[in-house]
């Protein structure tokens, strides 16, 4: 090999090395670009995920706030209804206590009226009048004539039972066989009238609570 051939080989080797270096640099730069792109994409995905989670959390919080605000009037109404109902129960207890204490009305007249009302709603020609122990002692058999006159049923036979009824006031009217029983005791009478009274009180208080009064015959 002469000097000229040796020089040509050196040049070729240098060119090959230079080309290899350029290829390596291009490969490195490409790898760096791809790595940066992957990092950027991962960062964007992470940020997007955070934004999505934040948006979802905010939406959930907003729904919760909306639901909470929507329940406020309901809770206020429920609380007010509870307080009103408590007052109504207290009123009912007061009325019951005054009835049983015979306050504010003529009790003897009330017995006549209660018994006569029962007679006008019952069928038959013979009935038994039951009274509380105290009323039986105080009014006794004298009550029957006044009741028949008030009911305008003179043809009916009405006897006062000598067995006291388990009531605190008012009357119970039944036929001798017990097939018809009209409980006009003070407690039962209040129970039947209370739904109507309760509605009137509720209307006065600005509420719309309605209940149907129940019947008195069983």
């Amino acid at each position: 090999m002469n000097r000229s051939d040796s020089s040509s080989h050196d040049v070729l080797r240098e060119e090959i090395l230079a080309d290899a270096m350029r290829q390596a640099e291009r490969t490195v730069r490409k790898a760096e670009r791809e790595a940066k792109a992957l990092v950027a994409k991962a960062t964007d995905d992470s940020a997007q995920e955070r934004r999505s989670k934040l948006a979802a959390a905010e939406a959930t919080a907003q729904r919760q706030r909306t639901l909470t605000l929507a329940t406020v009037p309901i809770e206020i109404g429920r609380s007010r209804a509870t307080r009103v109902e408590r007052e109504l129960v207290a009123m009912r207890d007061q009325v019951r206590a005054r009835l049983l204490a015979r306050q504010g009305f003529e009790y003897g007249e009330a017995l006549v009226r209660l018994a006569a009302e029962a007679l006008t709603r019952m069928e038959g020609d013979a009935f038994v009048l039951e009274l509380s122990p105290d009323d039986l002692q105080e009014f006794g058999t004298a009550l029957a004539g006044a009741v028949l006159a008030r009911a305008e049923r003179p043809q009916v036979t009405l006897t006062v039972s000598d067995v006291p009824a388990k009531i605190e006031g008012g009357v119970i009217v039944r036929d001798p066989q017990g097939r018809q029983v009209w409980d006009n005791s003070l407690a039962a009478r209040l129970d039947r009238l209370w739904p109507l009274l309760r509605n009137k009180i509720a209307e006065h208080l600005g509420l719309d609570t309605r209940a149907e009064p129940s019947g008195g015959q069983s």
Side-chain angles (χ1 to χ4, degrees):
M1 181 180 296
N2 57 30
R3 183 178 296 275
S4 177
D5 292 337
S6 176
S7 177
S8 296
H9 288 152
D10 290 341
V11 170
L12 179 60
R13 184 172 64 250
E14 289 176 358
E15 289 178 354
I16 291 173
L17 290 173
D19 185 60
M21 289 296 295
R22 287 193 295 272
Q23 288 289 347
E25 289 176 356
R26 285 197 293 270
T27 301
V28 170
R29 286 195 295 271
K30 181 179 179 182
E32 289 178 346
R33 288 195 301 271
E34 290 177 351
K36 289 180 180 179
L38 289 173
V39 171
K41 185 177 184 304
T43 302
D44 289 343
D45 290 346
S46 178
Q48 180 62 35
E49 184 178 359
R50 288 196 299 270
R51 288 193 293 271
S52 296
K53 289 182 178 179
L54 179 60
E58 290 177 346
T60 300
Q62 181 59 40
R63 286 194 299 270
Q64 187 62 42
R65 285 194 295 270
T66 300
L67 290 174
T68 300
L69 290 175
T71 60
V72 168
I74 297 174
E75 291 301 324
I76 291 175
R78 184 179 293 121
S79 177
R80 182 168 183 262
T82 299
R83 292 196 302 271
V84 169
E85 188 63 30
R86 202 159 41 231
E87 292 298 326
L88 289 173
V89 170
M91 290 179 187
R92 177 174 178 166
D93 291 343
Q94 292 175 7
V95 170
R96 185 186 299 273
R98 293 192 63 179
L99 284 174
L100 296 179
R102 284 67 162 157
Q103 294 180 357
F105 63 100
E106 176 56 45
Y107 185 63
E109 172 63 19
L111 288 179
V112 173
R113 182 169 53 82
L114 290 172
E117 179 191 38
L119 282 183
T120 60
R121 297 176 183 236
M122 301 173 73
E123 296 181 356
D125 54 10
F127 298 96
V128 178
L129 181 63
E130 296 183 357
L131 302 171
S132 70
D134 291 341
D135 293 344
L136 182 60
Q137 183 176 359
E138 181 176 355
F139 298 98
T141 56
L143 189 62
V147 172
L148 291 176
R150 178 65 61 87
E152 298 182 351
R153 296 187 67 180
Q155 75 281 7
V156 168
T157 300
L158 179 64
T159 58
V160 178
S161 174
D162 56 2
V163 179
K166 295 180 180 180
I167 58 176
E168 296 182 81
V171 301
I172 294 177
V173 180
R174 60 176 175 82
D175 61 20
Q177 294 76 29
R179 290 191 296 265
Q180 298 180 78
V181 179
W182 193 279
D183 187 350
N184 249 358
S185 63
L186 296 180
R189 178 78 170 174
L190 177 60
D191 288 342
R192 290 197 300 272
L193 290 178
W194 180 249
L196 180 60
L197 294 174
R198 183 184 183 281
N199 287 343
K200 291 185 178 299
I201 295 172
E203 289 174 5
H204 179 71
L205 295 175
L207 300 177
D208 184 17
T209 56
R210 299 174 184 174
E212 294 296 331
S214 60
Q217 190 167 353
S218 59

